[in-house]
Amino acid sequence: MSGGLTSIQRMVVGHLDSLEPAFGPKADVTIVEELCRGTSIAAIAKQIGCTADDVVSRWQQILFPAITTDHGALTIDGRRDLIIAVRAREQQSMQPSQEASL
């Protein structure tokens, strides 16, 4: 999965992997992409089948200092890195395990 990802993007993937698995990679992609587009939290919650509070909580978990300002806001570069990382993580989750092919 790390092929083509920057060190920050790999750090984001590692951070996402460390979070509780309450949301899968596909839900994380939806949350990140839709919030970055300006979609309402209520609409995102409906789309992934959870509450608005769940979406807000997950968003807060996703954000961390490497991609945010000192005040916790997502930076422009952080936004790009986050989107790339959640997409790469989702792609990895859809690929069959390499161990299964041994």
Side-chain angles (χ1 to χ4, degrees), residues 27-68:
D28 284 343
V29 169
T30 300
I31 291 169
V32 169
E33 288 184 347
E34 295 300 324
L35 281 174
C36 287
R37 280 188 190 111
T39 303
S40 75
I41 291 170
I44 297 167
K46 184 175 182 180
Q47 185 175 347
I48 62 176
C50 66
T51 68
D53 286 344
D54 291 337
V55 172
V56 170
S57 177
R58 186 58 172 194
W59 179 248
Q60 291 170 341
Q61 292 170 10
I62 287 170
L63 298 180
F64 72 111
I67 58 173
T68 59

Side-chain angles (χ1 to χ4, degrees), residues 96-102:
S97 172
Q98 291 182 2
E99 291 178 9
S101 64
L102 295 180

Side-chain angles (χ1 to χ4, degrees), residues 1 5 9 12 14 19 21 23-24 30-31 38 44-45 49-50 61 64 67 76 82 84 86-87 91 97 100:
M1 171 178 20
L5 296 181
Q9 293 161 0
V12 172
L19 298 177
F23 289 84
T30 300
I31 291 169
I44 297 167
C50 66
Q61 292 170 10
F64 72 111
I67 58 173
I76 292 170
L82 180 57
I84 290 168
V86 294
R87 288 176 180 168
Q91 285 294 328
S97 172

